[in-house]
């Protein structure tokens, strides 16, 4: 069960206060009416807002909207819009929390996105909660038809080209080679894929304007973002915080040795350093923040996640087929106290070989996690090499679907 503590850091923008789902009436009372009718004005406001994607890469939303519109004009095909609610990373809860508490904000954003790029068709893709969302849709009188689609529960289901391939009737794995979905997406139509949180922000940008949006965050990274917090012994929490806020204000790090910032494609950072790091989309990924208590082993945690990530790859490019399973096996050697052989140098070498060579970013994200573990957990690495482990508690910190390990 995920608990919400949104009002601790800022007045919540996206999530209904008190953790109560907002039906359409409550939603309209809270946010006011939604104005349609001028796609050019909406695009201008979007550009001024500086809104970036909240699905992991932090790409400017305006640039994607324009690219899709250009592509539609060039190919003379009507574009399609997809709300990405896959939230396939096992440690993330923010998108399903948002969809559960404020579904109409996402659905407003989806309609606005369709209007802005001139789409007549839209999808909302999720791994869970499809029937609940269909009920929310049934309350509305939207100009653009939205179809809710249930995705298979796989780490790669949420990758944009995997998503459009699935919506086109294929398997939920990244296309290889990957044509940009903005040019050739669902059924080969130019397709705009935006994370559901990005669309919810869009719904507020359209209502209240760019200046209002920029009143939170920093000039370089305006707005707020949803984060999922993992602290062992406490409930998983979803919070909304402004960009620029130090991680230590959100994530309790007393007694922690390190923090995982940005989830399973993210970065391990020593706790003291992580406490000062400001929230920024460049490494926040989809907003997962986890504290690693000093009595746990960061190598064991990384080995478990790495094994999961290696198994999740679609196995259709060299880096995933050969690199990730080898790295996962070698990392498992590092995670066990005793002789390490050449595991450490092998992993570093393989990371260099794999980097930048996948058809999607799965290998690169995985390498980021591995490299940060090798630099952050040097004390544990040395202790393990001498046959000891500093950890006294073996309870896993990071969630990994059990059937996958
Ligand atoms: C392996 C992998 C998994 C991903 N999973 C998700 C996901 O579950 N949800 C999501 O919104 N984006 C996910 N993405 C990012 C999408 O490819 C895409 O960039 C995003 O949905 C675009 O929306 P945004 O610009 O609003 O962030 C994933 C990317 C990769 C490489
Ligand atoms: S890099 Fe890996 S996950 Fe991405 S398309 Fe290739 S095999 Fe699939």
């Amino acid at each position: 069960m995920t608990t919400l503590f949104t009002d601790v850091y800022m007045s919540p923008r996206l999530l209904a206060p008190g953790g109560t789902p907002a039906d359409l009436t409550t939603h309209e009372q809270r946010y006011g009416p939604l104005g349609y009718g001028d796609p050019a004005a909406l695009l201008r406001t979007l550009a001024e807002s500086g809104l970036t994607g909240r699905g992991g890469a932090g790409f400017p939303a305006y640039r994607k909207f324009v690219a899709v519109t250009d592509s539609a004009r060039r190919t003379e095909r009507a574009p399609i819009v997809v709300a990405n609610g896959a939230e396939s990373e096992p440690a993330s809860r923010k998108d399903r929390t948002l969809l559960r508490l404020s579904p109409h904000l996402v659905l407003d954003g989806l309609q606005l996105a369709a209007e802005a790029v001139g789409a007549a068709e839209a999808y909302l893709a999720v791994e869970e909660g499809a029937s609940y969302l269909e009920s929310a849709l049934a309350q509305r009188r939207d100009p653009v038809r939205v179809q809710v689609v249930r995705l298979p529960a796989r780490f790669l289901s949420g990758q944009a080209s995997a998503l459009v391939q699935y919506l086109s009737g294929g398997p939920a794995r990244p296309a290889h080679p990957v044509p940009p979905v903005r040019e050739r997406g669902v059924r080969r139509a130019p397709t705009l894929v935006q994370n559901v949180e990005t669309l919810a922000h869009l719904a507020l940008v359209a209502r209240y304007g760019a200046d209002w949006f920029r009143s939170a965050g920093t000039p370089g990274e305006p707005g707020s973002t949803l984060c999922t917090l993992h602290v062992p012994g406490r409930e998983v929490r979803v919070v909304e915080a402004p960009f620029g806020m130090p991680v230590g204000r959100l994530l309790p790090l007393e007694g922690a040795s390190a923090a995982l910032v940005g989830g399973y494609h993210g970065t391990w950072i020593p706790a003291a350093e992580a406490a000062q790091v400001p929230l920024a989309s460049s490494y926040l990924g989809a907003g997962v923040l986890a504290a690693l208590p000093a009595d746990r082993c960061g190598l064991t945690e990384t080995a478990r996640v790495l094994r999961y990530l290696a198994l999740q790859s679609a196995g259709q490019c060299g880096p995933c087929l050969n690199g990730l399973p080898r790295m996962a096996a070698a990392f498992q050697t590092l995670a066990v106290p005793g002789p390490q052989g050449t595991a450490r140098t092998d992993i570093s070498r393989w990371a260099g070989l794999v980097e930048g060579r996948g058809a999607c970013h799965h290998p690169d994200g995985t390498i980021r996690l591995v490299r940060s573990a090798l630099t952050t957990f040097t004390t544990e690495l040395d202790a393990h090499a001498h046959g000891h482990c500093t950890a006294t508690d073996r309870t896993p910190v990071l969630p990994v679907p059990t059937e996958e390990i």
Side-chain angles (χ1 to χ4, degrees):
M1 170 75 180
T2 305
T3 310
L4 301 167
F5 289 83
T6 53
D7 51 354
V8 177
Y9 310 103
M10 61 181 291
S11 177
R13 291 178 164 189
L14 299 181
L15 300 171
T20 316
D23 62 11
L24 187 58
T25 310
T26 313
H27 167 75
E28 284 174 350
Q29 279 164 357
R30 183 163 182 229
Y31 293 110
L34 185 64
Y36 288 110
D38 188 351
L42 179 58
L43 279 175
R44 264 197 313 277
T45 309
L46 180 59
E48 286 161 13
S49 73
L51 174 63
T52 53
R54 302 295 198 256
F59 194 79
Y62 167 74
R63 281 172 50 196
K64 231 152 73 169
F65 276 55
V66 170
V68 169
T69 316
D70 288 349
S71 186
R73 199 174 300 124
R74 231 181 11 258
T75 57
E76 296 182 357
R77 286 206 59 176
I80 292 174
V81 177
V82 180
N84 190 349
E87 194 161 47
S88 44
E89 166 144 350
S92 185
R93 303 277 183 283
K94 59 123 183 152
D95 289 340
R96 68 202 70 189
T97 302
L98 173 65
L99 285 166
R100 176 57 69 168
L101 293 186
S102 303
H104 293 289
L105 215 43
V106 176
L107 295 172
D108 285 352
L110 188 51
Q111 290 297 319
L112 287 161
E115 181 199 22
V117 300
E121 207 182 331
Y123 291 90
L124 171 52
V126 290
E127 275 184 11
E128 60 182 60
S131 57
Y132 169 77
L133 292 165
E134 267 154 11
S135 308
L137 266 173
Q139 296 172 12
R140 304 168 59 97
R141 297 280 168 271
D142 285 327
V144 174
R145 195 176 84 91
V146 176
Q147 202 180 322
V148 180
V149 175
R150 184 145 186 223
L151 296 165
R154 304 270 306 164
F155 189 77
L156 286 169
S157 296
Q159 197 273 343
S161 73
L163 196 54
V164 302
Q165 187 147 262
Y166 190 72
L167 295 175
S168 308
R173 60 166 188 250
H176 179 55
V178 183
V181 299
R182 64 178 179 275
E183 284 169 20
R184 197 158 12 116
V186 180
R187 299 189 306 279
R188 303 171 82 85
T191 300
L192 177 72
V193 177
Q194 296 286 175
N195 173 258
V196 288
E197 184 192 338
T198 315
L199 293 170
H201 285 293
L202 174 65
L204 297 183
V205 166
R207 280 180 167 92
Y208 309 139
D211 288 347
W212 170 86
F213 183 74
R214 298 186 79 95
S215 66
T218 68
E221 288 246 46
S224 61
T225 189
L226 297 179
C227 296
T228 309
L229 309 184
H230 290 260
V231 179
R234 302 191 193 182
E235 275 183 317
V236 177
R237 306 191 321 175
V238 173
V239 300
E240 182 172 5
F243 279 120
M245 175 174 279
V247 166
R249 271 201 65 199
L250 285 177
L251 188 69
L253 286 167
E254 310 80 43
S257 61
L260 178 63
V261 177
Y264 295 177
H265 278 175
T267 313
W268 286 109
I269 305 177
E273 202 184 308
Q276 309 302 323
V277 167
L279 293 182
S281 59
S282 49
Y283 51 79
L284 195 57
V288 170
L289 300 171
L292 183 75
D295 60 1
R296 311 293 172 93
C297 177
L299 297 174
T300 310
E301 288 298 322
T302 307
R304 226 179 56 256
V305 171
L306 182 53
R307 172 142 191 251
Y308 165 75
L309 292 174
L311 285 169
Q312 290 297 306
S313 99
Q316 51 190 4
C317 317
C320 279
L321 202 55
N322 305 313
L324 298 193
R326 281 188 199 173
M327 287 169 72
F331 211 98
Q332 184 55 37
T333 306
L334 296 183
V336 178
Q340 316 265 286
T342 57
R344 214 156 147 176
T345 47
D346 286 345
I347 292 170
S348 299
R349 187 163 45 84
W350 290 330
L353 293 173
V354 161
E355 190 171 22
R357 300 228 165 80
C360 79
H361 292 300
H362 182 51
D364 290 351
T366 306
I367 288 167
R368 187 178 310 127
L369 178 81
V370 170
R371 283 186 171 145
S372 69
L374 293 179
T375 52
T376 300
F377 301 124
T378 47
T379 310
E380 284 88 337
L381 281 166
D382 292 342
H384 283 203
H386 290 95
H388 313 292
C389 182
T390 54
T392 51
D393 188 339
R394 300 267 155 207
T395 320
V397 174
L398 301 169
V400 169
T402 45
E403 65 277 14
E404 305 292 353
I405 55 174

